[in-house]
Amino acid sequence: MKVTIKEVAQLAGVGVGTASYALNGTGSTKVGARTRERVLAAARQLNYRVNTFGRALKMDRSYLVGAIFPTVRHESIPEIMQGMEDELTRHGYGMLFYTYSELEELRSKCRCLLDKRADGIILFPEAPHRHDYYDFYRELAASVPVVATSGHRQEELPRVLVDGYELGRIGTEYLIANGHRKIALVNDWLDWRTDGYRDVLAVHGIPFVPDYVFRDFSRPHDGPGLLSWWLEFPPEQRPTAVFCPSDGSAADLQNAAHDREIELPRELSVLGTDGLIIGTLAHPRLSSMGQPHYRQGAESVRLLLELITGSAPENVLLQPTLIPRESVWNFNRKN
Amino acid sequence: MKVTIKEVAQLAGVGVGTASYALNGTGSTKVGARTRERVLAAARQLNYRVNTFGRALKMDRSYLVGAIFPTVRHESIPEIMQGMEDELTRHGYGMLFYTYSELEELRSKCRCLLDKRADGIILFPEAPHRHDYYDFYRELAASVPVVATSGHRQEELPRVLVDGYELGRIGTEYLIANGHRKIALVNDWLDWRTDGYRDVLAVHGIPFVPDYVFRDFSRPHDGPGLLSWWLEFPPEQRPTAVFCPSDGSAADLQNAAHDREIELPRELSVLGTDGLIIGTLAHPRLSSMGQPHYRQGAESVRLLLELITGSAPENVLLQPTLIPRESVWNFNRKN
DNA sequence: ATAGACATGCGAAACGATTCGCATCAAGCA
DNA sequence: TGCTTGATGCGAATCGTTTCGCATGTCTAT
């Protein structure tokens, strides 16, 4: 399991330099076809595999990139990772996986990554409204290529994100098409979604009601929290549909509604975001704004690799797609 | 960003060897306290960080371990990964993440791992009934430390698994305690679960009905598939409870039942396995046999690290715990 | 026939760390 | 004083690559 390039060269009867050129295809002008063949044959025979460390030491390139996520418990992360892994493997890179839950941990994990000489880092940013994080992103990006992967508004870093405006627009359009007029929007940090929502309402001549937008981040963002917010509206003003920022919160809202014996989806329609498989396990099965997580991962890698090889890549904007299922009531069809 | 040990030694006014000893604490007998202090101070001042490749090259230790999963889409994997990551980081190791979907891909990903000189591999085995996989496991384990992490019966490799017998026993006991007598068991590869199930029935004097055990792997294992199997029983023989091998299949079964307007959980109780968060999004919220995924990940790492440092570790058997929620009807309480 | 151009290939140096044999020095002891 | 011993530290050798300068040999053109 420990055959070196020297032994390959010896068996092929050439110098180590020549063997290196032949093996890597570099200096293709410099090594004759017959010689190359001999080297390759010898390598195959000996089952030679390059020692990454020798190479990395000399070349100052590790072919490793780091991936840091705020917590794996966020359901869309596995799919993103899958996209990243596939794309990285196709380019001969390895992926170093880390998680963090607060800034200090992020710092120390990035230090680990730097120690391991990662060629670049893909960062899933959390809590993008906090300035200390922003400062750290900038500081980090100064010493190593970094790209952000997420739907957050992330001005600092090269990034791939999902078009929040379109997401809000398409989702709201769908609800309106199903006859909804009183539509609530639960906000996450993705403000663009609100713009899309508001614009579509305008197009259809539906007045924008500020109270229908849940912005209160001091309140719990979970099912019971959202439901009690919803219940505070007097019945005739109560939204007929709630547009949630994730499938988890949407399903949780549905379950809270079940507990109160509210009839779903007739009394309360719910539209999720993410289009995850968990949506099909909820009852009713969640309609959702699907996000292209796999592509998000793959594109992040593409960007990072460009960054590593020296070009200044353009940000990527991915489009969401509607996944209609059963959680939205259709007022137009007489059920 | 590229300060070497030589510069540290120079600044401290010592030889490189001495600097190395001082920095690593090795040869602590060999370097005087005052000298060590000087070296450490110099390192701090220059912000020195060891170059992993130089070290790895000399020591033949990469401080990298590979983690290979059949597919991230299996919901319990993120939690396992989290456990692995925490434990690895505590020991200064990095985790190389890969996925595979068939044997050939597993092979090639393991080759990547070997190329990157991973010190060991944690393998989440798939399809443990296939002999070609078994052969490969053995072959792989011959060239690098490997541990398996899963609930599968995996005789070849050092492994950490969850006690399937106890899982079957406790789950079945719970159903019986709720007044169920006709209990179906949906099998995965974990045969031990069947033993626990059968033994508990015997303890309670309930006859074992072979037909209540779903073993037909040619049929779809999903909600509609399971429901149609269930419906084939004549009503009076129909199981009142179905013990599922995952939360996903359990929730899917519930949704299929909703579609047929079967009243849950009165007409059909469902017990899941895994205790995942998705169980709380299903309706009714899934009762489930919780598996200690986080610990599973952490213990796998512990085993692997032992293996790497040369000892022959004992396999680890983790205990499942019951997570009662709302998907099991209680016949004893007059509802 | 000779010089220059070109194709091919050799092997030393370098990357940054660890480790080992050896040297130095001071103290202890006869 | 002379010798042993122990504590401390130096720097060369090494790990497996890649790359670069140089050497060799062949061919072409004059």
Side-chain angles (χ1 to χ4, degrees):
Chain A
M1 218 47 208
K2 38 187 341 193
V3 23
T4 76
I5 201 174
K6 209 173 296 184
E7 310 178 49
V8 173
Q10 201 156 34
L11 177 63
V14 303
V16 288
T18 308
S20 174
Y21 286 132
L23 255 9
N24 296 308
T26 37
S28 44
T29 53
K30 298 208 34 157
V31 36
R34 267 168 45 83
T35 316
R36 165 159 43 252
E37 263 321 310
R38 274 216 318 286
V39 173
L40 292 181
R44 230 179 347 259
Q45 181 182 334
L46 262 42
N47 194 18
Y48 167 77
R49 314 243 80 202
V50 59
N51 181 320
T52 328
F53 300 130
R55 167 179 291 175
L57 184 55
K58 179 67 184 172
M59 306 228 298
D60 206 30
R61 262 308 220 39
S62 64
Y63 288 91
L64 253 30
V65 321
I68 312 196
F69 297 95
T71 160
V72 240
R73 279 169 259 250
H74 195 302
E75 301 92 350
S76 58
I77 289 182
E79 192 69 18
I80 296 177
M81 288 179 59
Q82 182 85 55
M84 291 176 39
E85 201 263 319
D86 286 354
E87 188 73 7
L88 282 171
T89 301
R90 288 199 316 128
H91 290 86
Y93 276 77
M95 164 174 165
L96 244 21
F97 169 85
Y98 286 97
T99 63
Y100 68 96
S101 57
E102 38 168 307
L103 182 55
E104 211 32 65
E105 197 180 357
L106 176 61
R107 277 209 149 82
S108 96
K109 297 294 174 70
C110 284
R111 205 150 38 220
C112 289
L113 240 17
L114 259 19
D115 280 358
K116 301 217 179 291
R117 294 302 198 268
D119 292 337
I121 296 180
I122 297 180
L123 192 58
F124 192 109
E126 173 83 322
H129 56 305
R130 283 181 49 183
H131 270 293
D132 43 357
Y133 275 80
Y134 268 82
D135 292 345
F136 175 67
Y137 297 156
R138 193 170 9 232
E139 179 190 330
L140 182 66
S143 63
V144 65
V146 181
V147 334
T149 182
S150 86
H152 293 314
R153 186 178 276 185
Q154 188 57 47
E155 309 295 353
E156 316 291 331
L157 271 21
R159 61 202 175 277
V160 4
L161 35 73
V162 176
D163 192 331
Y165 180 88
E166 278 299 291
L167 201 153
R169 203 188 58 73
I170 297 173
T172 309
E173 183 80 54
Y174 169 66
L175 293 170
I176 293 174
N178 278 274
H180 293 265
R181 290 296 175 272
K182 291 174 286 182
I183 299 172
L185 179 72
V186 178
N187 236 334
D188 60 357
W189 311 105
L190 237 184
D191 331 323
W192 292 335
R193 175 195 313 237
T194 312
D195 299 338
Y197 162 83
R198 188 197 294 243
D199 285 359
V200 176
L201 292 183
V203 165
H204 290 270
I206 302 173
F208 172 75
V209 181
D211 281 351
Y212 281 175
V213 178
F214 184 97
R215 295 182 176 285
D216 187 356
F217 291 109
S218 65
R219 294 220 218 181
H221 219 144
D222 57 3
L226 289 177
L227 187 72
S228 70
W229 172 73
W230 183 76
L231 285 169
E232 282 171 18
F233 288 95
E236 70 283 356
Q237 287 173 30
R238 200 118 71 197
T240 57
V242 177
F243 190 174
C244 289
S246 72
D247 286 343
S249 57
D252 211 33
L253 172 59
Q254 289 196 146
N255 253 348
H258 276 128
D259 292 343
R260 295 292 207 109
E261 314 218 324
I262 292 163
E263 193 189 329
L264 299 177
R266 201 180 49 79
E267 294 183 70
L268 170 58
S269 292
V270 175
L271 177 60
T273 299
D274 277 345
L276 300 170
I277 189 74
I278 61 169
T280 67
L281 304 179
H283 176 74
R285 294 178 180 85
L286 271 178
S287 297
S288 185
M289 288 305 302
Q291 309 214 46
H293 296 298
Y294 183 93
R295 279 200 60 210
Q296 187 180 335
E299 289 289 312
S300 304
V301 167
R302 198 176 58 68
L303 239 65
L304 184 64
L305 261 29
E306 280 187 29
L307 209 56
I308 289 175
T309 56
S311 45
E314 299 215 350
N315 296 329
V316 175
L317 194 63
L318 264 20
Q319 291 307 315
T321 55
L322 174 68
I323 303 178
R325 285 196 283 243
E326 301 156 8
S327 64
V328 171
W329 183 259
N330 186 348
F331 284 105
N332 301 324
R333 206 175 46 193
K334 292 291 156 270
N335 290 273
Chain B
M1 214 46 204
K2 38 185 342 192
V3 26
T4 76
I5 200 174
K6 207 173 297 185
E7 310 178 49
V8 173
Q10 201 156 35
L11 177 62
V14 303
V16 288
T18 307
S20 173
Y21 286 130
L23 254 10
N24 296 308
T26 36
S28 43
T29 54
K30 298 208 35 159
V31 34
R34 267 169 44 84
T35 316
R36 167 162 36 255
E37 264 320 311
R38 273 215 319 286
V39 172
L40 293 181
R44 229 180 345 260
Q45 182 183 332
L46 294 175
N47 194 19
Y48 169 76
R49 315 242 79 202
V50 58
N51 181 318
T52 328
F53 300 129
R55 166 179 290 174
L57 185 56
K58 177 67 181 169
M59 308 229 297
D60 206 30
R61 266 302 222 40
S62 64
Y63 289 91
L64 252 30
V65 320
I68 311 196
F69 298 94
T71 160
V72 240
R73 281 169 258 249
H74 196 304
E75 300 93 349
S76 58
I77 288 182
E79 192 69 19
I80 296 177
M81 288 179 59
Q82 182 86 54
M84 291 176 38
E85 200 262 319
D86 286 354
E87 189 73 7
L88 283 171
T89 301
R90 289 201 315 127
H91 290 86
Y93 276 76
M95 164 174 165
L96 245 20
F97 170 84
Y98 286 98
T99 62
Y100 68 97
S101 58
E102 39 168 305
L103 183 54
E104 211 32 64
E105 198 181 356
L106 176 59
R107 276 210 150 81
S108 97
K109 297 294 173 72
C110 284
R111 205 152 36 221
C112 290
L113 241 16
L114 259 19
D115 280 358
K116 301 216 178 292
R117 293 302 199 267
D119 292 337
I121 295 179
I122 297 180
L123 192 57
F124 192 109
E126 174 83 322
H129 57 303
R130 283 181 50 184
H131 271 294
D132 43 356
Y133 274 80
Y134 269 81
D135 293 344
F136 175 69
Y137 297 157
R138 195 169 10 233
E139 178 190 329
L140 183 66
S143 63
V144 65
V146 181
V147 334
T149 183
S150 86
H152 293 314
R153 186 179 276 183
Q154 188 57 46
E155 310 293 355
E156 317 292 330
L157 269 22
R159 60 201 176 278
V160 5
L161 35 73
V162 176
D163 192 333
Y165 180 87
E166 278 298 291
L167 201 153
R169 203 188 59 71
I170 297 173
T172 309
E173 183 79 55
Y174 168 66
L175 293 171
I176 292 174
N178 279 274
H180 292 265
R181 290 295 175 273
K182 293 174 287 184
I183 298 172
L185 180 72
V186 178
N187 237 334
D188 61 356
W189 312 104
L190 236 186
D191 331 324
W192 293 334
R193 172 196 314 237
T194 313
D195 299 337
Y197 162 82
R198 188 198 292 244
D199 286 359
V200 174
L201 291 183
V203 165
H204 290 270
I206 301 173
F208 173 75
V209 181
D211 280 352
Y212 281 177
V213 178
F214 184 96
R215 296 182 176 284
D216 187 355
F217 290 109
S218 65
R219 292 220 218 182
H221 218 147
D222 57 5
L226 289 176
L227 188 73
S228 71
W229 172 73
W230 183 76
L231 285 169
E232 280 172 20
F233 289 96
E236 69 283 357
Q237 287 173 31
R238 210 168 271 162
T240 58
V242 177
F243 189 173
C244 289
S246 71
D247 286 342
S249 57
D252 211 33
L253 172 59
Q254 289 197 144
N255 253 348
H258 276 128
D259 291 343
R260 295 292 208 107
E261 315 222 321
I262 292 162
E263 193 190 328
L264 299 177
R266 201 178 51 77
E267 293 182 71
L268 170 59
S269 292
V270 175
L271 177 60
T273 299
D274 278 344
L276 300 171
I277 190 75
I278 60 169
T280 68
L281 304 180
H283 177 72
R285 294 179 180 86
L286 272 178
S287 297
S288 185
M289 289 303 304
Q291 307 214 48
H293 295 297
Y294 183 93
R295 279 200 60 211
Q296 186 180 335
E299 290 289 312
S300 304
V301 167
R302 200 176 56 69
L303 239 66
L304 184 64
L305 261 29
E306 282 187 28
L307 208 58
I308 289 174
T309 56
S311 46
E314 299 215 349
N315 296 329
V316 174
L317 195 63
L318 263 20
Q319 291 306 317
T321 55
L322 174 68
I323 302 177
R325 286 195 281 243
E326 301 157 7
S327 65
V328 170
W329 182 259
N330 186 348
F331 284 105
N332 301 325
R333 206 176 46 190
K334 292 293 155 271
N335 288 272

